[in-house]
Amino acid sequence: MTVKRRNHGRNKKGRGHVKRVRCASTAKAIPKDKAIKRYIVRNIVDASALRDIRDASAYENYNLPKLYIKQYYSVEAAVHQRIVRVRSKEGRRNRAPPERRRRR
């Protein structure tokens, strides 16, 4: 039988069973090794409110804490929201991680 991916779309390798996690957009239960994972670090407040808080703060140079979220997406939700893209047959063989966007 033809195989589309070398790892069958999973990262299991020898484990019989993997716990399931919930998709962030559809709440579908998906195996943790099959899920597309994204780690998001952002400010608790948006940029417009950040200036107001800094002006009203009694402390000088106070850094607001950040929000750290690890999100899991099912394959179909990640493709639909363009978190990952569909790749050609030759492109699927490329196992190198994609180039990271540099921050200015």
Side-chain angles (χ1 to χ4, degrees), residues 34-47:
K34 190 171 191 170
I36 286 107
K37 301 156 201 69
R38 291 294 178 264
Y39 193 69
I40 297 170
V41 180
R42 64 178 188 201
N43 290 324
I44 287 181
V45 295
D46 56 344

Side-chain angles (χ1 to χ4, degrees), residues 6-7 16 18 29 31-32 38 47 50 56 58 76 82 93 98:
R6 173 179 156 177
N7 62 357
V18 178
K32 189 174 182 180
R38 291 294 178 264
L50 187 64
E76 51 270 24
R82 295 189 183 108
R93 291 181 187 162

Side-chain angles (χ1 to χ4, degrees), residues 50-59:
L50 187 64
R51 204 176 109 234
D52 297 337
I53 291 172
R54 282 216 177 108
D55 293 341
S57 177
Y59 297 105

Side-chain angles (χ1 to χ4, degrees), residues 47-91:
S48 61
L50 187 64
R51 204 176 109 234
D52 297 337
I53 291 172
R54 282 216 177 108
D55 293 341
S57 177
Y59 297 105
E60 295 289 327
N61 300 328
Y62 178 71
N63 291 332
L64 281 170
K66 294 191 179 292
L67 196 62
Y68 299 95
I69 306 169
K70 185 162 189 184
Q71 290 185 326
Y72 299 98
Y73 294 95
S74 61
V75 175
E76 51 270 24
V79 170
H80 180 71
Q81 295 177 5
R82 295 189 183 108
I83 294 165
V84 292
R85 300 284 173 113
V86 177
R87 296 192 289 174
S88 65
K89 188 180 272 190
E90 290 79 30

